[in-house]
């Protein structure tokens, strides 16, 4: 699917949901993609990208930023505390704040550095033991803790279980965000971003639909 087709689908989903045009940010997930594919998307004018691993982002985006202005980088994968400083220096947003230790590290570094990326708290809506994220029942308390640390929490993020209907998880995330006064909803990937937009997504994370299979899938 072309980038133009995906943008058109997003615009239609916004309109169908009665939402303002441009209210959804398309994050092109470039993890494990060859530089040539990423640059092709940059040449089409897209500037918002997502990476899972800080190390990969550090090896890729400073170089691209030398040639392309206005790049907005989002860290969307699990973040180790020892990579937090590097993530904060590279990214404009981090979508995977999922535990008090990480929140405290980010707060300390924000004081040292003098700024902090926009933050999304990852919620384990499926309550899966193997999945990162705060449990739904504990999210309100964690949001409050992050606010006490003066962290710029903009919203919530989720990754629904593969075998379950994602709409239920999107709706749950939207309810938790609403009761906490959070507008940002990072939800929806290549196979379900249209439905995520109907449920209120403000950020959709689309990889394979834009780039094709990752290197590791070939």
């Amino acid at each position: 699917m072309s980038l133009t087709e995906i943008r058109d689908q997003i615009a239609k989903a916004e309109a169908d949901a009665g939402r303002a045009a441009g209210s959804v940010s398309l994050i092109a997930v470039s993890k494990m993609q060859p530089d040539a594919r990423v640059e092709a998307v940059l040449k089409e004018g897209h500037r918002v990208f997502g990476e899972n691993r800080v190390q990969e982002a550090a090896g890729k985006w400073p170089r691209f930023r030398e040639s392309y202005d206005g790049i907005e980088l989002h860290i969307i994968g699990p973040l180790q505390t020892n990579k937090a400083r590097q993530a904060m220096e590279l990214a404009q947003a981090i979508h995977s704040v999922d535990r008090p230790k990480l929140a405290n590290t980010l707060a300390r570094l924000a004081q040292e550095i003098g700024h902090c990326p926009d933050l999304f708290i990852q919620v384990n809506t499926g309550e899966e033991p193997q999945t990162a994220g705060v449990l739904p029942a504990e999210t309100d308390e964690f949001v409050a803790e992050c606010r006490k640390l003066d962290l710029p929490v903009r919203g919530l993020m989720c990754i629904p279980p593969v075998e379950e209907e994602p709409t239920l998880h999107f709706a749950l995330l939207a309810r938790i965000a609403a009761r906490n006064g959070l507008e940002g909803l990072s939800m929806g990937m290549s196979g379900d971003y249209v439905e995520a937009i109907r449920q209120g997504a403000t950020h959709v994370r689309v990889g394979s639909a834009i780039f094709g299979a990752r290197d590791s899938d070939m």
Side-chain angles (χ1 to χ4, degrees):
M1 188 178 295
S2 71
L3 184 60
T4 298
E5 288 173 323
I6 292 170
R7 286 172 171 163
D8 288 346
Q9 283 196 351
I10 290 173
K12 184 179 185 302
E14 287 172 336
D16 290 347
R19 298 175 58 185
S23 59
V24 177
S25 178
L26 170 60
I27 301 172
V29 179
S30 49
K31 65 177 183 179
M32 301 180 71
Q33 293 291 348
D35 284 358
R37 289 186 185 175
V38 177
E39 189 153 24
V41 175
L42 281 163
K43 286 179 178 177
E44 286 192 63
H46 195 73
R47 290 294 183 269
V48 185
F49 292 84
E51 292 284 347
N52 268 41
R53 296 173 63 245
V54 174
Q55 185 174 351
E56 182 179 355
K60 180 186 300 180
W61 290 104
R63 184 175 68 254
F64 280 132
R65 280 175 164 150
E66 292 177 1
S67 302
Y68 298 92
D69 292 332
I71 290 172
E72 182 179 310
L73 183 62
H74 295 241
I75 299 297
I76 61 174
L79 180 58
Q80 298 174 341
T81 53
N82 64 351
K83 299 289 185 182
R85 180 185 294 273
Q86 193 174 24
M88 293 175 74
E89 292 171 345
L90 280 168
Q92 283 64 58
I94 296 171
H95 291 237
S96 47
V97 181
D98 61 354
R99 59 199 187 279
K101 182 180 179 181
L102 178 58
N104 280 286
T105 299
L106 293 170
R108 174 178 57 80
L109 290 171
Q111 292 296 318
E112 291 181 16
I113 298 169
H115 71 88
C116 186
D118 288 344
L119 302 178
F120 291 74
I121 291 172
Q122 183 171 352
V123 181
N124 183 359
T125 55
E127 301 188 25
E128 299 177 287
Q130 76 278 15
T131 300
V134 183
L135 292 175
E138 298 171 359
T139 302
D140 294 0
E141 181 180 355
F142 188 55
V143 170
E145 290 175 4
C146 289
R147 284 173 167 160
K148 286 179 183 177
L149 293 169
D150 290 327
L151 290 172
V153 179
R154 304 305 183 206
L156 306 178
M157 184 270 262
C158 76
I159 304 172
V162 175
E163 69 281 0
E164 295 186 17
E165 170 55 53
T167 303
L168 301 176
H169 296 269
F170 299 154
L172 172 60
L173 197 72
R175 290 195 299 272
I176 298 172
R179 71 175 181 242
N180 283 283
L182 294 169
E183 295 184 356
L185 286 169
S186 173
M187 58 189 195
M189 297 185 286
S190 289
D192 53 25
Y193 63 87
V194 170
E195 185 53 48
I197 292 169
R198 294 193 185 110
Q199 297 296 327
T202 58
H203 297 71
V204 293
R205 311 180 305 271
V206 181
S208 59
I210 295 174
F211 295 104
R214 297 190 299 270
D215 274 0
S216 63
D217 298 331
M218 296 177 182

